[in-house]
Amino acid sequence: MSEGADFVWKECLNYIKDNIPEKAYATWFHPIKAVKLQGKVLTIQVPSKFYYEYLEENYIKIVKSSLTKNLGKDAKLVYQIMMEKNHRTETPYSVNIPSSQKAQIKPQEVDAPLYMERGVANPFVIPGLQKLKINSQLNTNYTFDNFIEGDSNRLARSAGRQIAKRPGGTSFNPLFIYSNVGLGKTHLAHAIGLEVKRIQPEKTVLYVSTEKFCQQFQEATKANNRNDFIHFYQMIDVLIVDDIHFISGKKGTQEVFFYIFNHLHQSGKQIILTSDKAPIDIQDVEQRLISRFKWGLSTEIQTPDYTTRLAILRQKMEFDGIALSEDILAYIAENIKTNIRELEGALNSVIAQSTLNKKEITPELVEKTLANLISNSKKDITIDYIQKLVCDYFKLPLDMIQSKTRKRDIVQARQLAMYFAKKYTNASLSTIGTQIGKRDHATVLHACKTVGNLFETDRMFKSYVDDINKKIVAEI
Ligand code: ADP
Ligand code: MG
């Protein structure tokens, strides 16, 4: 580092420090190093492109005044940034003041990549590696090869394939895959990531669950290294965020994700999101983020049809090295319809039953095992259970829906409980009415109609119904 540069930059810093908030100073100016001073051209090194952009957007005026103050009117500033990994040959960003007159400096002016030094201390990066290498967190069992194609997932699968060939280069950015649980979102998301790595191993791919993302962000905030967190995510070429609906209600995380999303999208990087709802139905997420979710392709994975279920079973059977007769496979595929995870679970139970009891897998054994699976779960859904679930969902005490009150939100909860009791139990309208707040059968009938109407017309209400429905279905 040249002494002159150091001296001048320190003087500038003194001036800047007095003119901006302390925290902003610490965040944006501490990490900068003065590199050299040639005549009136000061070169400073910033940790990343993101820093450069941020400084340009927010602090260029103050930097300019400080520099003019120290070096005179024709002072110039050159930024150097270190790109991640070994993009050593990439031309560093260089900017003259005024910043609109961009000029380039020669690549050889780049010194040791700063990011490598930072990487060691960066909690998001595996330490001790020469190059910045990120563990993609991809599950190698979830490939395209074993992701059976069917009508239910054709669009999502084929979009995924195209993305894998040209990440960031298709109009499917972001790719937003949504479905109920157990229908293959996570599997497909991993498959895309693995395929990108197979075709272009040098691409930085990262799979992260939304929960983990939120947790990392909280930890980074606590440890005061939010910038490292942001930089880390901004370096990814293909970012896969699973179950993005969990970001609901988390303001800070939404904000930082918005920021990262924009950066990646603008730099032509690929974003893949999964969710249990369509973007429009996600609650408690900022509108600007929802609208971005819709920028690329949103596609639903539906419940698989019989043929697809059979194909999935067949594949799983082959994978496990087990032979089952066609009859048996057909029986399982016919009876387990809504969820592929359960389909696999049923097959596993049949196999386990046969192994444990040293019995041959006969149609009777399969029937018995599945009957257990099906009836065990069904008997839990009672009117009481539904009332409790609805109350929990709205955070109401149970006696509220039992009471006579006609307050709007309580009436709504009561009607929902009636609706779901009708849907999921065999109880008569009058039994339901008696158990839910001592009403008559006409009230229950009316409740069911009202719920049906609101479901069609009121988006918020629809999301309540969908959420509660999911919770009940998860129990079945
Ligand atoms: P989701 O993320 O939608 O809840 P998962 O991706 O976890 O669902 O899928 C549940 C299980 O079903 C996984 O074991 C997955 O491998 C399997 N699965 C889902 N879709 C398919 C498919 N099309 N072909 C083969 N297996 C599938
Ligand atoms: Mg999943």
Side-chain angles (χ1 to χ4, degrees), residues 109-145:
E109 290 188 39
V110 180
D111 296 330
L114 200 58
Y115 231 110
M116 266 158 58
E117 296 160 26
R118 294 172 63 81
V120 179
N122 185 331
F124 308 106
V125 178
I126 300 163
L129 293 175
Q130 283 300 299
K131 270 198 277 174
L132 185 78
K133 255 199 168 163
I134 291 169
N135 180 343
S136 291
Q137 312 288 341
L138 292 168
N139 181 340
T140 49
N141 293 322
Y142 287 159
T143 60
F144 270 113
D145 282 349

Side-chain angles (χ1 to χ4, degrees), residues 174-190:
L175 174 65
F176 189 101
I177 310 167
Y178 64 97
S179 79
N180 283 336
V181 290
L183 294 182
K185 300 182 289 294
T186 299
H187 185 142
L188 183 56
H190 280 281

Side-chain angles (χ1 to χ4, degrees), residues 141-142 146-150 152-153 157 179-188 242-243 274 301 308 312 315-316 339-342 344:
N141 293 322
Y142 287 159
N146 61 21
F147 189 80
I148 301 285
E149 180 173 342
S152 51
N153 61 33
R157 191 178 190 279
S179 79
N180 283 336
V181 290
L183 294 182
K185 300 182 289 294
T186 299
H187 185 142
L188 183 56
D242 204 1
D243 290 326
T274 79
I301 300 185
T308 313
I312 291 174
Q315 171 192 268
K316 176 117 176 70
N339 182 320
I340 299 175
R341 195 173 291 138
E342 276 172 17
E344 293 180 343

Side-chain angles (χ1 to χ4, degrees), residues 439-471:
R439 311 289 155 131
D440 60 12
H441 82 280
T443 312
V444 181
L445 197 60
H446 175 69
C448 294
K449 278 192 191 143
T450 310
V451 170
N453 287 340
L454 284 174
F455 183 85
E456 298 293 329
T457 53
D458 181 336
R459 185 163 291 149
M460 186 77 159
F461 189 83
K462 178 178 182 301
S463 78
Y464 296 156
V465 176
D466 287 343
D467 281 351
I468 298 170
N469 198 42
K470 263 181 205 143
K471 284 181 200 284

